[in-house]
Amino acid sequence: MEEFYMKVAIEEARKAEKIGEVPIGAIVVFQGEIVGRGYNLREKDQDPTAHAEMIAIQEAAERLGSWRLIDCDLYVTLEPCPMCAGAIIQSRVKRVIFGTLDPKAGCVGSLMNLLQDTRFNHQTEIQSGVLQQECSDLLTQFFRGIREKRKEAKRNRVLDQSNA
Amino acid sequence: MEEFYMKVAIEEARKAEKIGEVPIGAIVVFQGEIVGRGYNLREKDQDPTAHAEMIAIQEAAERLGSWRLIDCDLYVTLEPCPMCAGAIIQSRVKRVIFGTLDPKAGCVGSLMNLLQDTRFNHQTEIQSGVLQQECSDLLTQFFRGIREKRKEAKRNRVLDQSNA
């Protein structure tokens, strides 16, 4: 069941990839139904808060008519950052299922675990590593593609200069 | 100068208070100009992410045409929660100035200090305690008002029952 929903989150991530955004996708599930979907839109919208999880949470809250996403599960391809972990706490999401770890900014186990810090007024169940390889490959391939494009652009600049 | 801008953030907080929202306000300042304003709209919008800081950051990014709020200062009446602290990191805000501490959920010194955690790719200057008393009084009076309304409602119910 977790893999089924993670595949939908991966579909969201692929939408980001197609428009040159870092491929991260998220969905919110309530009673088996997908009530929110989101993918990273930071560059397109030039909005620092337009992460996949934020968009999925906002859509779910609108759909359910409540800021409290009680009994909702959030699936996301990458471990949430502090902002998204904070939004998960704020919205009282019951369970977070994520694909792969983010050792640089992940706040659900990597750098810290905001979702199970008992000083906050809400704690969340966590499941990690669902379709980990696929979620990780999405990102690795995206960044490899960027590096290759940069190298090619540099090569072309050098060629242009030597021909000038 | 800090007090001047904090007063504007307090004006924002009062807009929240007027519509029954927890009175928290924020502004973003770039080169002396206010480029973003926000007040808490969680209940009205039923949006768990509609905190003052988030709204001010989103407005500033739209206004400046960039998700990077480089050289921007953020003024907020209450110490930011993890979500808002995360959004501050994401948007590369240079300096955060806040009024009063939030011992229950504050992540800029109270429970932790996300804004100066060197494991993230951005750190923020911090100034706290600007118009502290005024910012704190806003919240104290708001919650006192709520408690009094609840007590009155309870008293009226008891009277209704004894008259029934």
Side-chain angles (χ1 to χ4, degrees):
Chain A
M1 209 53 182
E2 276 76 21
E3 295 201 354
F4 170 81
Y5 288 119
M6 189 58 81
K7 278 181 185 163
V8 184
I10 291 172
E11 279 171 30
E12 289 299 311
R14 292 202 188 279
K15 292 180 192 172
E17 190 182 28
K18 270 187 193 157
I19 56 169
E21 297 274 357
V22 178
I24 304 162
I27 60 168
V28 173
V29 177
F30 176 63
Q31 296 181 340
E33 194 190 344
I34 297 166
V35 292
R37 290 170 184 258
Y39 56 93
N40 181 27
L41 282 170
R42 185 175 69 170
E43 301 297 332
K44 184 173 170 286
D45 289 359
Q46 286 296 314
D47 178 351
T49 73
H51 283 196
E53 301 95 310
M54 302 297 284
I55 296 166
I57 285 173
Q58 286 159 349
E59 193 176 294
E62 200 179 336
R63 176 87 172 272
L64 299 174
S66 170
W67 62 261
R68 291 177 186 85
L69 302 184
I70 290 167
D71 290 332
C72 285
D73 296 342
L74 183 137
Y75 290 77
V76 56
T77 55
L78 182 67
E79 182 185 0
C81 76
M83 173 179 71
C84 294
I88 289 161
I89 298 171
Q90 289 295 340
S91 58
R92 318 283 197 261
V93 163
K94 189 181 179 188
R95 199 160 70 104
V96 168
I97 303 96
F98 66 89
T100 193
L101 290 166
D102 181 0
K104 285 189 182 167
C107 286
V108 185
S110 287
L111 300 186
M112 60 187 80
N113 188 347
L114 291 173
L115 299 190
Q116 293 183 333
D117 187 322
T118 52
R119 295 174 299 171
F120 295 120
N121 63 352
H122 179 75
Q123 287 79 43
T124 307
E125 297 166 36
I126 300 168
Q127 190 176 342
S128 65
V130 175
L131 298 182
Q132 189 274 331
Q133 196 60 53
E134 201 171 336
C135 292
S136 170
D137 287 350
L138 257 173
L139 290 161
T140 313
Q141 283 159 19
F142 177 79
F143 287 113
R144 187 182 297 146
I146 284 184
R147 278 194 303 272
E148 282 169 7
K149 271 184 201 160
R150 277 193 194 146
K151 266 190 207 164
E152 203 185 310
K154 200 178 166 185
R155 238 189 337 256
N156 290 341
R157 273 199 306 278
V158 171
L159 281 173
D160 284 350
Q161 284 169 351
S162 63
N163 290 338
Chain B
M1 208 54 181
E2 276 77 21
E3 295 200 355
F4 170 81
Y5 288 118
M6 189 58 81
K7 277 181 185 163
V8 184
I10 290 172
E11 279 172 30
E12 289 298 312
R14 291 204 189 280
K15 292 181 193 170
E17 189 182 30
K18 270 188 192 155
I19 56 167
E21 297 274 357
V22 178
I24 305 162
I27 60 166
V28 173
V29 176
F30 176 64
Q31 296 181 340
E33 194 190 344
I34 297 167
V35 292
R37 290 170 183 259
Y39 55 93
N40 181 27
L41 282 170
R42 185 176 70 171
E43 300 298 331
K44 184 176 169 286
D45 289 358
Q46 287 295 314
D47 179 351
T49 73
H51 282 197
E53 301 96 311
M54 303 296 286
I55 296 166
I57 285 173
Q58 286 159 351
E59 194 177 294
E62 200 179 335
R63 177 87 172 272
L64 299 175
S66 170
W67 62 260
R68 291 178 187 85
L69 302 183
I70 290 168
D71 289 332
C72 285
D73 296 342
L74 183 138
Y75 290 77
V76 57
T77 55
L78 183 67
E79 182 186 359
C81 77
M83 174 178 70
C84 294
I88 288 161
I89 299 171
Q90 288 296 338
S91 58
R92 318 283 196 260
V93 163
K94 188 181 179 189
R95 200 160 70 104
V96 168
I97 302 97
F98 67 90
T100 194
L101 291 166
D102 180 359
K104 286 188 181 167
C107 285
V108 186
S110 286
L111 300 186
M112 60 188 80
N113 189 347
L114 291 173
L115 298 189
Q116 294 182 333
D117 188 322
T118 52
R119 294 174 300 171
F120 295 120
N121 63 351
H122 179 73
Q123 286 80 43
T124 307
E125 295 167 36
I126 301 168
Q127 189 174 343
S128 64
V130 175
L131 298 182
Q132 188 274 330
Q133 196 60 53
E134 202 171 334
C135 291
S136 169
D137 286 351
L138 258 173
L139 289 161
T140 313
Q141 284 160 17
F142 177 80
F143 288 114
R144 188 182 298 146
I146 284 184
R147 279 195 302 273
E148 280 168 8
K149 270 184 201 160
R150 276 191 194 147
K151 266 189 205 164
E152 203 184 311
K154 198 179 169 186
R155 242 191 331 261
N156 289 342
R157 274 200 305 277
V158 171
L159 280 171
D160 284 351
Q161 284 170 350
S162 63
N163 289 336

